[in-house]
Amino acid sequence: MDGHGSTLGRLRGDFFGGLTAGVVALPLALAFGVASGAGAAAGLYGAIVLGFVAALLGGTRMQISGPTGPMTVVFASALAVVGGNLAVAMAAVLVGGLVQIGLGLVRAGGLVRFIPYPVVSGFMSGIGVIIVLLQSAPLLGAPSLPSPLAAVLGLPAVLAQVNGEALLIGFLTLVIVFRTPMAVSRIVPAPLVALVAMTALATAAGLSVPVIGDIPRGLPEVVLPVFTLETWTTVLLLGITLGLLGSIDSLLTSLVADSITRTRHHSNRELIGQGVGNLLCAFVGGLPGAGATMRTVINIKSGGKGRTSGVVHALFLLALLLGLGPFAERIPLAVLAGILIKVGVDILDYRMLRLVHTAPRADVAVMAAVFVLTVLVDLIVAVGAGVVLSMMLIIHRLARQASFRVRPLPHEAALADARLEADLESGIRVIEIDGAFFFGSASQLLDRVDQVIGTRVAVFDCSRVPFMDLSAQFALEEMIERLKAQAIAALVVVPPAIHAQLLRLRAPHLPAAILRDDLETALAEARALVAPAR
């Protein structure tokens, strides 16, 4: 009985989540379609086809997919480059879908798990602020602005043209979505309550407020993507761009969904689902898209937990296309703005924000940089910069942890051991390398060359080195080459794994003859080398 009840509860949550996400997706799909140059209907077709296919085949159960800003910009560029020829532009969409499927098949999606949490945190909080800023104008009854920066700079102009009726509807929407008791929200999500109640109030009272407006009707016609000799290089390049951008966009949304729901998505399956969806969009003249962060979050906040929510979202848009459009055309934009502002507030990463004063400075700096770039520049640029910055900080930390020490064999030991004292006199030096030996720390080795000039044998003790990259190997080779020029012999002690690696590389100045697995053995050989001279 409990299982039956939980199944019904999950289906109810998916239905309400998908329905609410569909209502929010409607004006966005129409706007993206117009912005792309392919027409409002193209945005709706893309939202339906991609939303349905990605929900069934994708790897993030509660993800809502459809046209997104970055994908729309690239597609608009493709359409302009090919002179407005929709069939040729759809060839780029087809290539993009194939690229995504290919990335999924070669399991490239797993790379997204290497994105550090501060990057995801800054991205999430930035998205939240973007939503709030972009919806501030529609909440006041003014036309929406194209970017967060424009929303801030245009605030005085927006305040000068406030629509009092829209503001009232928006304010009541905010009250409903923020103050509805949880007991009610479990049955009917607060965003859906606000949507139905405020639309009914605005219609019954005859309020003069901006609404969604006309919705295209009718099924799409089949479009056959066309490749021509004159445009195939352009189509290929734009298609690869669409595929990579759509993959990054979708997987970032999957990470946000994971962070909110404490679940884990299947990144490679997600890429294949997105690729198949975009591939089919190419045959119906639909706008390409990706996992949409805002729509996914509102789906989750409205109760969506499974694939059914994405299917409901797509079927709702299809129903509008087939004749139910007049029922949605009267939805006030101020109501949608109020619902989305609640989503923006909820998506802020309060867990990280509470740790700003106590978390490591480097992590806070990464989060802040990603946040600022997300709000002011671009989502993809922000994540890329955040990952690069995190990598640089890690390299810096690893390089600082590595230590390079030249032992004329320790004085304490030399005083206690006559043999070590003899080593000191005979010119045996041990260069101890401790920690990660890689491009970030390799230069420190070359700085030690002056400390061993004048000795007879140099023993490089790398027994505590966990890994050695090619830069470190070249630095070690250069050091040995310099020592040979000074008639100084060299022996290298390395762990078995690195020993085998160096043998496979066949480095000319790191032959098997000077590689040893044990420090004591190397020291014994060093003493044998200097014995005749002594």
Side-chain angles (χ1 to χ4, degrees):
M1 191 70 179
D2 289 343
H4 182 65
S6 64
T7 301
L8 284 177
R10 188 166 60 250
L11 289 175
R12 183 173 65 242
D14 284 349
F15 176 77
F16 286 136
L19 191 61
T20 310
V23 172
V24 171
L26 175 61
L28 293 172
L30 298 176
F32 284 138
V34 172
S36 72
L44 206 51
Y45 298 155
I48 293 168
V49 174
L50 179 60
F52 185 83
V53 174
L56 291 179
L57 303 182
T60 313
R61 288 180 292 114
M62 68 293 295
Q63 181 131 292
I64 302 294
S65 301
T68 62
M71 294 291 279
T72 300
V73 170
V74 176
F75 178 78
S77 301
L79 194 59
V81 167
V82 298
N85 188 326
L86 187 63
V88 177
M90 285 301 153
V93 177
L94 176 66
V95 171
L98 292 173
V99 167
Q100 289 183 296
I101 294 171
L103 289 173
L105 292 175
V106 300
R107 311 187 75 78
L111 295 175
V112 76
R113 302 203 183 279
F114 294 101
I115 297 179
Y117 185 79
V119 176
V120 178
S121 175
F123 175 71
M124 286 175 61
S125 294
I127 290 279
V129 170
I130 287 174
I131 293 171
V132 172
L133 291 176
L134 291 182
Q135 296 306 315
S136 57
L139 185 75
L140 302 175
S144 59
L145 294 164
S147 70
L149 188 58
V152 173
L153 298 177
L155 190 58
V158 169
L159 293 174
Q161 51 179 326
V162 171
N163 181 323
E165 295 176 344
L167 179 58
L168 174 63
I169 290 291
F171 174 75
L172 292 175
T173 300
L174 289 173
V175 171
I176 292 173
V177 294
F178 276 100
R179 305 301 298 175
T180 299
M182 186 57 66
V184 176
S185 289
R186 286 196 185 98
I187 301 170
V188 182
L192 197 58
V193 173
L195 187 72
V196 174
M198 291 301 101
T199 301
L201 175 61
T203 303
L207 300 181
S208 178
V209 294
V211 295
I212 286 179
D214 293 337
I215 297 172
R217 293 174 178 80
L219 292 173
E221 296 179 358
V222 174
V223 176
L224 293 178
V226 173
F227 292 86
T228 64
L229 288 175
E230 295 80 12
T231 60
W232 76 270
T233 51
T234 303
V235 164
L236 189 64
L237 182 61
L238 289 168
I240 292 172
T241 303
L242 282 171
L244 294 175
L245 183 60
S247 300
I248 296 169
D249 216 355
S250 299
L251 294 180
L252 288 175
T253 301
S254 298
L255 286 180
V256 171
D258 286 353
S259 182
I260 295 172
T261 60
R262 303 289 188 269
T263 58
R264 293 192 70 179
H265 70 281
H266 299 284
S267 51
N268 296 309
R269 179 175 176 177
E270 183 63 37
L271 290 181
I272 293 172
Q274 294 286 337
V276 174
N278 277 322
L279 186 147
L280 293 177
C281 282
F283 290 96
V284 297
L287 209 59
T293 306
M294 186 167 62
R295 281 158 269 176
T296 298
V297 174
I298 201 165
N299 174 42
I300 295 168
K301 296 296 181 183
S302 300
K305 296 178 180 177
R307 300 182 186 281
T308 311
S309 58
V311 173
V312 169
H313 145 268
L315 293 179
F316 169 74
L317 295 177
L318 180 62
L320 297 179
L321 198 66
L322 295 178
L324 296 182
F327 292 99
E329 289 174 350
R330 301 299 302 168
I331 296 175
L333 295 180
V335 175
L336 292 179
I339 293 171
L340 291 172
I341 285 174
K342 175 64 163 63
V343 171
V345 170
D346 286 346
I347 202 177
L348 295 173
D349 187 17
Y350 295 102
R351 178 170 61 168
M352 186 70 179
L353 293 175
R354 281 192 292 266
L355 299 175
V356 164
H357 296 295
T358 56
R361 282 185 176 182
D363 291 333
V364 174
V366 170
M367 185 203 73
V370 174
F371 172 82
V372 171
L373 289 172
T374 298
V375 174
L376 298 182
V377 184
D378 178 73
L379 308 181
I380 309 301
V381 170
V383 172
V387 170
V388 170
L389 185 57
S390 296
M391 289 171 57
M392 291 172 63
L393 289 171
I394 290 171
I395 290 168
H396 179 66
R397 289 172 185 168
L398 288 172
R400 288 187 62 184
Q401 288 174 2
S403 67
F404 295 78
R405 189 166 56 129
V406 177
R407 289 186 350 191
L409 295 178
H411 291 289
E412 300 84 358
L415 293 174
D417 189 328
R419 187 176 60 177
L420 294 181
E421 189 176 358
D423 286 337
L424 193 63
E425 293 175 0
S426 62
I428 297 174
R429 297 292 182 272
V430 177
I431 299 97
E432 287 184 342
I433 304 173
D434 196 353
F437 192 23
F438 68 118
F439 64 90
S441 58
S443 60
Q444 296 182 50
L445 176 65
L446 298 176
D447 295 338
R448 304 292 190 278
V449 68
D450 293 336
Q451 298 178 30
V452 293
I453 296 298
T455 191
R456 298 288 309 283
V457 180
V459 178
F460 293 87
D461 181 11
C462 303
S463 57
R464 289 180 296 280
V465 171
F467 69 90
M468 182 187 298
D469 72 355
L470 201 59
S471 299
Q473 175 213 309
F474 286 157
L476 189 57
E477 278 195 284
E478 185 177 342
M479 183 77 163
I480 292 171
E481 193 173 5
R482 289 187 188 183
L483 295 178
K484 282 184 178 179
Q486 300 286 331
I488 300 172
L491 294 170
V492 182
V493 179
V494 287
I498 297 179
H499 192 151
Q501 171 193 336
L502 294 175
L503 290 178
R504 286 196 301 271
L505 289 173
R506 297 180 181 177
H509 294 289
L510 287 171
I514 69 169
L515 299 181
R516 300 293 179 268
D517 293 330
D518 177 70
L519 178 60
E520 288 304 319
T521 302
L523 286 175
E525 289 191 34
R527 292 176 187 124
L529 286 172
V530 300
R534 293 176 58 189

